[in-house]
């Protein structure tokens, strides 16, 4: 079964509190999503392999470490996942970004795909799929399945808030995928929204409601 990492860093939890607040406006909401994504990215990349190189300082030769192994790709699930990309790119400027567009059908709550554009070497990259919300898990599971169809093997999932139902769905459908979240909330409501959650992440990032 896939591991769920609940990231409890005080800075992250502090920012998450203001993200949840219904009185937080669009500008601050967007800023907080970016900052949270950056802090989460720091934790989610903790085990990336490194290799030793030598660097000449002004004083002597120093044995230092740099990232090694496969290159990274960030795959945001549109729309809301887009809000997490810039914060992560700030930390890993060499990462490529693949986009997958999915929306939830309001009646069935099932994901509907409308867009996809991946870097050509996506199957050789270590991938972090990002979306602020993991509710039923349908969108994330479909995105991961899609990437596996491209031959991707090393995939992690990063969500700011998850519902227990979404975590269980990913663990069942994709036991090989590690999950990084800042919180696992209580439940889903009858419309498959996370309770207490933060409302509709896409609408709050882009000001569409
Ligand atoms: C939201 C969210 C996830 C999905 C989560 O997107 O950003 O992609 O719902 O729900 P699930 O786990 O039940 O699939 P939404 O469909 O509202 O689209 P948007 O990002 O364009 O607002
Ligand atoms: N999508 C959101 O944006 N919020 C939820 O609570 C569930 C799905």
């Amino acid at each position: 079964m896939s591991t769920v990492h609940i990231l409890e860093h005080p800075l992250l939890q502090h920012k998450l509190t203001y993200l949840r607040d219904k009185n937080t406006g669009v500008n601050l909401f967007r800023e907080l999503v970016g900052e949270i994504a950056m802090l989460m990215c720091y934790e989610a990349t903790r085990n990336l392999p490194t290799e030793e190189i030598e660097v000449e300082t002004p004083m002597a030769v120093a044995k230092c470490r740099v990232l090694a192994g496969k290159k990274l790709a960030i795959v945001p699930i549109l729309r809301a996942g887009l809000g997490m990309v810039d914060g992560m790119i700030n930390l890993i400027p060499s990462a490529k970004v693949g986009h997958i567009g999915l929306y939830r059908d309001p009646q069935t709550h099932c994901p509907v795909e409308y867009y996809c554009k991946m870097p050509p070497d996506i199957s050789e990259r270590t991938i972090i799929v990002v979306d602020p919300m993991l509710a039923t898990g349908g969108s994330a599971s479909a995105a991961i399945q899609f990437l596996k169809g491209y031959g991707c093997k090393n995939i992690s999932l990063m969500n700011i808030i998850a519902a227990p139902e979404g975590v269980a769905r990913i663990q069942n459908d994709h036991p090989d995928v590690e999950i990084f979240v800042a919180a696992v909330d209580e439940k889903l409501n009858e419309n498959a929204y996370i309770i207490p959650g933060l409302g509709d992440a896409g609408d709050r990032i882009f000001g569409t409601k």
Side-chain angles (χ1 to χ4, degrees), residues 51-55 62-66:
E51 64 190 3
E52 191 174 278
I53 62 162
E54 290 190 346
V55 166
K63 290 185 194 301
C64 305
R65 306 207 69 80
V66 290

Side-chain angles (χ1 to χ4, degrees), residues 104 133 135 192-194 199-201:
R104 293 200 313 178
M133 310 305 275
Y193 272 80
I194 300 174
D200 190 303

Side-chain angles (χ1 to χ4, degrees), residues 73 75 98 118-127 147 150-153:
V75 177
M118 294 293 152
D121 58 351
I122 189 74
S123 64
E124 290 149 36
R125 289 180 176 264
T126 295
I127 295 169
L147 289 164
Y150 266 107
C152 303
K153 290 186 179 62

Side-chain angles (χ1 to χ4, degrees), residues 179-201:
I179 308 170
F180 296 85
V181 296
V184 178
D185 276 8
E186 196 188 323
K187 60 178 182 184
L188 295 177
N189 72 6
E190 61 283 6
N191 296 317
Y193 272 80
I194 300 174
I195 304 298
L198 50 69
D200 190 303

Side-chain angles (χ1 to χ4, degrees), residues 28-161:
L28 179 58
F29 190 90
R30 204 183 284 141
E31 206 174 293
L32 287 167
V33 168
E35 289 172 353
I36 288 170
M38 189 188 312
L39 292 168
M40 291 187 74
C41 182
Y42 181 76
E43 292 287 348
T45 52
R46 183 174 285 282
N47 293 323
L48 284 181
T50 59
E51 64 190 3
E52 191 174 278
I53 62 162
E54 290 190 346
V55 166
E56 274 187 53
T57 78
M59 312 303 288
V61 172
K63 290 185 194 301
C64 305
R65 306 207 69 80
V66 290
L67 291 174
K70 292 181 182 167
K71 293 177 183 151
L72 264 152
I74 300 163
V75 177
I77 301 177
L78 309 183
R79 281 177 307 169
L82 279 179
M84 299 173 74
V85 173
D86 285 356
M88 298 175 72
I89 290 285
N90 281 341
L91 282 189
I92 319 167
S94 63
K96 293 271 167 52
V97 182
H99 294 87
I100 181 156
L102 298 171
Y103 70 86
R104 293 200 313 178
D105 181 282
Q107 259 77 50
T108 64
H109 308 137
C110 290
V112 181
E113 187 190 322
Y114 62 89
Y115 184 77
C116 179
K117 184 81 181 171
M118 294 293 152
D121 58 351
I122 189 74
S123 64
E124 290 149 36
R125 289 180 176 264
T126 295
I127 295 169
I128 308 178
V129 175
V130 298
D131 192 327
M133 310 305 275
L134 182 67
T136 65
S139 304
S141 181
I144 293 165
Q145 194 55 50
F146 183 85
L147 289 164
K148 286 183 174 175
Y150 266 107
C152 303
K153 290 186 179 62
N154 192 351
I155 305 172
S156 310
L157 175 64
M158 207 170 100
N159 307 105
I160 299 177
I161 300 180

